[in-house]
Amino acid sequence: MEVGAAGWPSAGGRSGSGYIVAPGLVLTAAHVIGGAAGCTIRPMAPANSPGAPAEPVWVSTELDAALLRFDGALPADLRHARWGRLTGQDSAVPAHCSVVGFVRADDENGDSARDTQGLAGRINPNTGVFDGHYEIELDRIPPQVGGRGLGRWRGLSGAAVFCADVVAGLVTRAPRRWSSTRLQALPVWRLLEVPGFRDLLADAAGRPVATPESVELQSLYERPPHPPRPPSYLLDARQAVTPFHGRDAELSELLA
């Protein structure tokens, strides 16, 4: 999702990236909207889709994150965001991740242009612990993206960081000290600890916000169905909708 503050897409408008995390809610970086009372969002596909108005409903300048509310049709394949967090501590086994956002770069004529940019990288669980952010070490730096540091990745702020199928972070900046080889991301578990943020997500989704899944262990667990299955899915014993009862002998044997 492309996000533009007041004045965008004119030359002076601020813009960045975002991701739909619940019906009618887009997550982005707070500095992308820059305190604007209203902004514009535009889906990644199809290309050149018209923009739609949105308004900030939750902003944290401390965390550099914001939720935008919009009205309108949702993508047909919209899934509720699955949240994740790093739980490992082995530096030899970093978590693989991916990011897709809108990057502004200069073409061969020196004109600024924006297009989608996909990046892959790794997150070492023992890097950036004191700072409270994930440091994404990029696997490959595309040539001639732009300047250095923040300028090289202009427009990528607000993009979601995926580790397999879970959203683990939110891109906030590219530290200059790493010469554009790393991105910094806010762990989503820090957002989910904020009551106001969780309440907005729960109201939009119509259900409580799930606890973040372990990034490293997600492949070991059965994943919830997408899209949600009909009520008959609750008849599956694995859902444990009703307690196990009426088998006292069996229970005693199992607990022995």
Side-chain angles (χ1 to χ4, degrees), residues 95-112:
H96 292 269
C97 65
S98 62
V99 176
V100 179
F102 290 83
V103 174
R104 184 185 299 113
D106 296 336
D107 60 21
E108 61 274 10
N109 298 319
D111 298 323
S112 180

Side-chain angles (χ1 to χ4, degrees), residues 46 119 121 138 147-148:
L119 298 169
L138 299 175
R148 300 180 57 188

Side-chain angles (χ1 to χ4, degrees), residues 167-191:
V167 178
L170 173 74
V171 175
T172 53
R173 65 192 187 102
R176 292 186 182 275
R177 64 182 180 275
W178 298 115
S179 300
S180 305
T181 62
R182 292 186 182 184
L183 299 174
Q184 193 171 79
L186 174 72
V188 295
W189 64 261
R190 294 186 60 189
L191 289 172

Side-chain angles (χ1 to χ4, degrees), residues 12-94:
R14 185 194 305 263
S15 62
S17 305
Y19 184 74
I20 299 178
V21 292
L25 290 179
V26 171
L27 176 63
T28 188
H31 74 263
V32 169
I33 59 176
C39 52
T40 302
I41 60 173
R42 184 168 64 182
M44 185 177 299
N48 299 318
S49 299
E55 61 176 355
V57 292
W58 180 87
V59 178
S60 172
T61 55
E62 179 183 358
L63 296 176
D64 194 9
L67 280 175
L68 312 177
R69 176 173 290 152
F70 69 96
D71 295 319
L74 296 172
D77 60 348
L78 173 67
R79 299 181 178 186
H80 293 275
R82 290 174 54 198
W83 307 107
R85 67 179 297 174
L86 271 66
T87 56
Q89 296 181 340
D90 189 349
S91 295
V93 189

Side-chain angles (χ1 to χ4, degrees), residues 136-216:
I136 303 172
E137 184 177 353
L138 299 175
D139 291 341
R140 178 179 176 273
I141 309 298
Q144 302 300 322
V145 175
R148 300 180 57 188
L150 296 173
R152 185 179 181 95
W153 302 117
R154 289 177 299 170
L156 197 61
S157 293
V161 180
F162 276 86
C163 293
D165 293 332
V166 299
V167 178
L170 173 74
V171 175
T172 53
R173 65 192 187 102
R176 292 186 182 275
R177 64 182 180 275
W178 298 115
S179 300
S180 305
T181 62
R182 292 186 182 184
L183 299 174
Q184 193 171 79
L186 174 72
V188 295
W189 64 261
R190 294 186 60 189
L191 289 172
L192 296 175
E193 289 185 341
V194 181
F197 182 88
R198 291 180 63 94
D199 292 344
L200 285 169
L201 287 182
D203 290 343
R207 63 186 187 189
V209 179
T211 301
E213 304 173 38
S214 168
V215 166
E216 293 87 349

